[in-house]
Amino acid sequence: MLDNKKKEQIKFIYPETLISQDEIEIYEKEEKELISERNPFEMAKKQIDIVAKEMNLDDNIKKFLKSVERSLIVSVPIKKDDGNLEIFEGYRVQHSTVRGPGKGGIRFAPNVNLDEVKALATWMTWKCSLLCLPLGGAKGGICVDPRKLSKSELERLTRRYTAEIINIIGPDMDIPAPDVNTDSQIMAWIMDTYSMNKGRAIPGVVTGKPIEIGGSVGRETATGMGLYFVLEALCNKMNIDLESQKIVVQGFGNVGGNIAKILCEKGCKIIAVSDISGGLFTKEGLDIIELLDWRDKKKYLKDFQNENYEFINNEDILTLECDILIPAALENQITQLNAKKINCKIILEGANGPTTPEADIILKNNGIIVVPDILANAGGVCVSYFEYIQDIHSYFWKLERINQELKNILVNAFEDVYYLSKEKNVSLRIASYMIAISRLAKAIELRGIFP
Ligand code: NAD
C-alpha cells in the first residue's frame, strides 16, 4: 500500500487525471530501477568489474575488493532542546585496512544510507592507494538534516555517534575527517569525546580539526588546492591556457567554494555556481568573493539579488556550455540521462562519484576528458594524512611545506595516471583505478588471507 507521502509525490509528478493503479505501478517500477541503477555501491562494484577486466585481475582479488571489511550501523538517540527524544541512524564502514588504518570523512545528510557509505569507503581505499598513502578506506555518516538541529543538538548528536563507534576508530585503526555538512567544530567534538573516554588528549583520532587543537594549516582549503594542482597539470599537458577558461561549479561548500575562489583568483571566469537551492549564472563571470560572503552568512544562492545574474536549477547548471565543469556536490549527478547534454571539454570531479559508469562511456565517446574523483579531489585526504603525521610527531609544518608536498604528491600521481592512460589507451579513470587496484592487489597477495 502507498503511504500518503508517496501519493503526494505521485500527484506532484503526474497530473491528477493520469493517476490510475496501473500508472502508479509503472511509476514504482521505474523508480525502483532508477534507485538500483543509481545505487552508489552498485556503481563502485561496476567500476571494479570494468577495471578488473582491463587489467586481467585475479577473480579472488576482485571478489575480495568488492566486499567491505566492516560495516557498523548504530542508533543515535538525542534529547532535543524541547525535551523530546529523536533517534537517528548512523554508519561507519571500513572498506579496506590492508594498506593501513582506515581513513575517510563523516557525512551528515538526509539521504545517507549504508550503500552510499560503503561506496564512499571503497572510493577512499582507491584514493589512498593511488596517492601511495599508508592508509586504507573508510567512511561514516548519519541520516539527518543538520539544518533542522540547534548547535547544542548537533553537538549531542556528534558526541553520541562518536561514543557508538568508539571501539572501531582511533589513530591506528580508523581516522575520520569532515565531509558533506560536517566541519572542524564537529571534528573537535569527536576528538574531545574520544579523548575523554581514553583519559588523555588524542588529537590523531580525527583530521580536519581546528588548528588550536592539533589541526593542520591548509586542511580547510586542501581539496580545492588539490583540484587546482591536478587541473593545472592537465592543462600543461594539453597546452590549454587555464586563465582563459570558462568554469561551472556545482556545489558551493568546502570543495566547490574553495576551487571557485582559487580559479577566480587565477583569472578564470566562473560563469555559474550552485548550492542545494539552485544556482546563479552570468556569461560575464560571477563575483565569487561576494557570493562566498553570502554563503558564509548561511544564506542560499537562490536568494542572492543581482539583476545581471540569472537563476539556474541544479540540473541545468550541469549542461551549460563551458570549458571546465566541476561537479562538487554529491554522487550520481552525471548519469546516462544527462551525459549526452554535457557541453564542456573537461570534467574535474570535485565530488566523490558524481559520474556513473554508464555516463562515463557517453562522455568518452563525446571526447570529454574526465579527471576522476580519486585523483582530482585527493588533496583533502593528502593534507589529512599530513595532519595525522603532524599530530603523531607533535611537530607542525608551515603552509608553504604543506602546499609544496601536496603539489608533489598530486602531480606525481597525475603523471603516473596520464602516462598509463596514454600507454594503455584508456580513460584517466581507468588508469587511476589500475594503479590503485594493482597496489592494493599486491598488498593483499603479500599479506595473504588470514588464517
Ligand atoms: P559541503 O557540505 O561543504 O558542501 C556541499 C555543497 O553541495 C553545498 O553547497 C550544498 O548546498 C550542495 N548540495 C548539497 N546537496 C545538493 C544537491 N542535492 N544538489 C546540488 N547541490 C547540493 O561538502 P563538501 O565537503 O564540499 O563536499 C562536497 C563533495 O566533495 C562530496 O561529494 C564530498 O564527499 C567530496 N569531497 C569532500 C572533501 C573535503 O575535504 N571536504 C574531500 C574530497 C571529496
Side-chain angles (χ1 to χ4, degrees), residues 292-308:
L292 285 170
D293 190 48
W294 182 258
R295 177 202 72 176
D296 291 343
K297 290 180 183 141
K298 308 265 176 249
K299 293 183 176 167
Y300 287 125
L301 289 174
K302 77 170 170 45
D303 299 322
F304 188 84
Q305 299 297 324
N306 181 325
E307 59 187 23
N308 298 318

Side-chain angles (χ1 to χ4, degrees), residues 30-47:
E30 281 175 355
E31 204 190 38
K32 231 188 218 164
E33 279 169 11
L34 204 66
I35 288 169
S36 131
E37 188 187 314
R38 291 188 175 187
N39 176 316
F41 191 49
E42 292 305 321
M43 174 175 152
K45 287 191 283 188
K46 233 181 259 175
Q47 287 167 332

Side-chain angles (χ1 to χ4, degrees), residues 99 124-132 435-437 439-440:
R99 299 186 73 255
M124 285 307 297
T125 304
W126 311 146
K127 208 181 286 185
C128 293
S129 177
L130 176 64
L131 262 55
C132 221
I435 295 172
I437 289 183
R439 243 174 228 149
L440 201 70

Side-chain angles (χ1 to χ4, degrees), residues 107-109 111 120 124 127 139 147 177-182 219-224 250-257 274-278 295 300-301 314 317 327-331 333 349-354 373 376-381 384:
R107 172 176 292 195
F108 288 178
N111 297 325
L120 291 163
M124 285 307 297
K127 208 181 286 185
K139 205 84 181 189
R147 289 167 306 177
D179 194 73
V180 174
N181 292 329
T182 55
R219 174 59 186 90
E220 195 88 14
T221 52
T223 309
Q250 186 208 34
F252 202 50
N254 176 300
V255 180
S274 71
D275 62 19
I276 195 167
S277 72
R295 177 202 72 176
Y300 287 125
L301 289 174
N314 261 306
I317 196 171
L330 292 173
E331 57 273 7
Q333 298 301 300
E349 293 188 334
N352 287 309
D373 47 6
N377 72 30
V381 72
S384 269

Side-chain angles (χ1 to χ4, degrees), residues 42-60:
E42 292 305 321
M43 174 175 152
K45 287 191 283 188
K46 233 181 259 175
Q47 287 167 332
I48 300 174
D49 282 335
I50 295 168
V51 181
K53 203 168 159 199
E54 198 73 49
M55 57 194 284
N56 274 327
L57 190 71
D58 178 86
D59 270 354
N60 285 329

Side-chain angles (χ1 to χ4, degrees), residues 136-413:
K139 205 84 181 189
I142 304 180
C143 180
V144 58
D145 186 347
R147 289 167 306 177
K148 294 190 177 147
L149 299 184
S150 68
K151 192 173 175 190
S152 54
E153 287 168 343
L154 196 60
E155 177 174 353
R156 289 197 288 281
L157 180 84
T158 306
R159 288 185 182 278
R160 180 62 190 247
Y161 169 71
T162 309
E164 295 294 341
I165 63 167
I166 207 155
N167 290 327
I168 64 161
I169 59 167
D172 48 9
M173 280 179 93
D174 178 2
I175 309 123
D179 194 73
V180 174
N181 292 329
T182 55
D183 57 13
S184 57
Q185 175 60 74
I186 289 174
M187 297 307 117
W189 291 328
I190 297 178
M191 180 255 185
D192 184 68
T193 308
Y194 187 85
S195 299
M196 287 297 108
N197 201 273
K198 302 287 171 190
R200 63 191 190 282
I202 307 182
V205 64
V206 277
T207 57
K209 299 177 293 294
I211 289 170
E212 295 79 358
I213 54 167
S216 174
V217 289
R219 174 59 186 90
E220 195 88 14
T221 52
T223 309
M225 280 308 285
L227 282 166
Y228 174 71
F229 290 142
V230 173
L231 181 62
E232 187 187 36
L234 177 71
C235 288
N236 288 343
K237 283 273 180 286
M238 296 175 65
N239 286 325
I240 291 174
D241 171 31
L242 181 52
E243 283 158 34
S244 64
Q245 303 301 295
K246 283 182 290 170
I247 319 260
V248 167
V249 185
Q250 186 208 34
F252 202 50
N254 176 300
V255 180
N258 276 310
I259 185 62
K261 182 165 179 263
I262 293 166
L263 289 173
C264 195
E265 283 166 358
K266 298 286 174 190
C268 303
K269 238 182 220 173
I270 314 295
I271 61 165
V273 294
S274 71
D275 62 19
I276 195 167
S277 72
L280 298 168
F281 162 69
T282 171
K283 271 189 200 152
E284 315 314 320
L286 300 161
D287 183 335
I288 293 298
I289 299 298
E290 202 177 23
L291 294 178
L292 285 170
D293 190 48
W294 182 258
R295 177 202 72 176
D296 291 343
K297 290 180 183 141
K298 308 265 176 249
K299 293 183 176 167
Y300 287 125
L301 289 174
K302 77 170 170 45
D303 299 322
F304 188 84
Q305 299 297 324
N306 181 325
E307 59 187 23
N308 298 318
Y309 296 175
E310 220 177 277
F311 177 78
I312 187 155
N313 67 37
N314 261 306
E315 270 168 42
D316 293 343
I317 196 171
L318 294 170
T319 53
L320 278 174
E321 186 193 341
C322 63
D323 298 304
I324 300 166
L325 170 66
I326 309 180
L330 292 173
E331 57 273 7
N332 273 323
Q333 298 301 300
I334 304 173
T335 66
Q336 55 185 328
L337 298 178
N338 62 0
K340 279 193 203 115
K341 292 191 267 172
I342 302 281
N343 200 348
C344 65
K345 290 185 284 201
I346 297 171
I347 295 176
L348 182 70
E349 293 188 334
N352 287 309
T355 314
T356 64
E358 292 81 2
D360 256 339
I361 297 168
I362 300 169
L363 296 171
K364 188 163 188 267
N365 290 341
N366 288 347
I368 296 173
I369 293 176
V370 180
V371 189
D373 47 6
I374 63 166
L375 172 64
N377 72 30
V381 72
C382 192
V383 177
S384 269
Y385 170 61
F386 297 160
E387 179 175 332
Y388 167 72
I389 299 174
Q390 293 171 82
D391 286 338
I392 287 171
H393 289 229
S394 284
Y395 179 77
F396 290 85
W397 308 353
K398 298 232 175 335
L399 186 60
E400 294 71 36
R401 178 170 175 194
I402 296 276
N403 283 336
Q404 192 51 54
E405 300 227 14
L406 173 65
K407 187 171 180 175
N408 287 348
I409 291 181
L410 286 179
V411 172
N412 282 340

